[in-house]
Amino acid sequence: MSKATPATRALDAAHVAFTVHTYDYDPDAESIGLQAAAALGEDPARVLKTLMALVDGKPVCVIVPSDQEVSMKKLAAAAGGKSAQMMKPPEAERVTGFKVGGISPFGQRKPVRTVIEQSALAHDLVYLNGGQRGLQVRLKPADVRDVLKAVVADVLA
């Protein structure tokens, strides 16, 4: 597995300190984020999942703890829109340039508005997908917010 992905290159270019962690990706897992947390031996609240949504028809990246769900109403409000829905997997892959299960908020084809769940910033370090199935990057949540210019909001269901 290559540890150099568009995501890790984007973090390097932003001069962000991060470490790379690999795990055995299970394509049949009910929850990719929870499976990653278990494989890494980490609290699911520290292993964040990257989801792609549409807010008023425009792509939005939303980052939440892997053991939580997104409130579409709260996401729409946080992104300054009226309605939100999850993006279909083929569209998420086309928009981001990553395969589902390996979608990272870093290094996407085009920068999109990003919203991060406020509770994620309470941790010293968090894990996010590194742009490949079975690859996670660990970094400070403030760096996630700053690099992505993310909106911080309560978006949990």
Side-chain angles (χ1 to χ4, degrees):
M1 173 184 308
S2 170
K3 290 183 174 85
T5 67
T8 59
R9 287 192 287 275
L11 288 169
D12 282 336
H15 306 288
V16 171
F18 68 96
T19 56
V20 174
H21 303 264
T22 59
Y23 67 96
D24 289 328
Y25 173 81
D26 178 1
D28 299 321
E30 199 169 304
S31 166
I32 294 164
L34 291 178
Q35 190 257 326
L40 293 166
E42 286 292 340
D43 178 350
R46 288 184 40 182
V47 179
L48 308 179
K49 59 186 174 183
T50 304
L51 303 171
M52 297 303 294
L54 294 168
V55 174
D56 295 345
K58 294 187 175 77
V60 172
C61 178
V62 59
I63 301 168
V64 296
S66 59
D67 60 346
Q68 299 291 326
E69 297 299 322
V70 177
S71 161
M72 290 297 131
K73 189 173 185 174
K74 289 180 181 178
L75 175 60
K82 291 185 171 133
S83 68
Q85 65 186 50
M86 292 307 298
M87 198 180 279
K88 296 202 177 339
E91 188 176 3
E93 291 180 349
R94 184 182 56 74
V95 168
T96 65
F98 297 114
K99 293 260 182 238
V100 168
I103 293 178
S104 178
F106 308 107
Q108 293 188 5
R109 280 197 175 125
K110 287 186 201 156
V112 299
R113 175 172 276 186
T114 301
V115 178
I116 186 169
E117 163 52 36
Q118 63 189 12
S119 64
L121 273 73
H123 302 284
D124 292 339
L125 294 167
V126 294
Y127 291 81
L128 276 159
N129 198 291
Q132 197 171 73
R133 293 171 176 166
L135 184 74
Q136 295 277 313
V137 291
R138 185 176 72 180
L139 66 168
K140 293 177 182 170
D143 288 340
V144 176
R145 176 197 62 211
D146 296 348
V147 167
L148 298 170
K149 297 177 179 60
V151 172
V152 177
D154 168 17
V155 292
L156 297 182

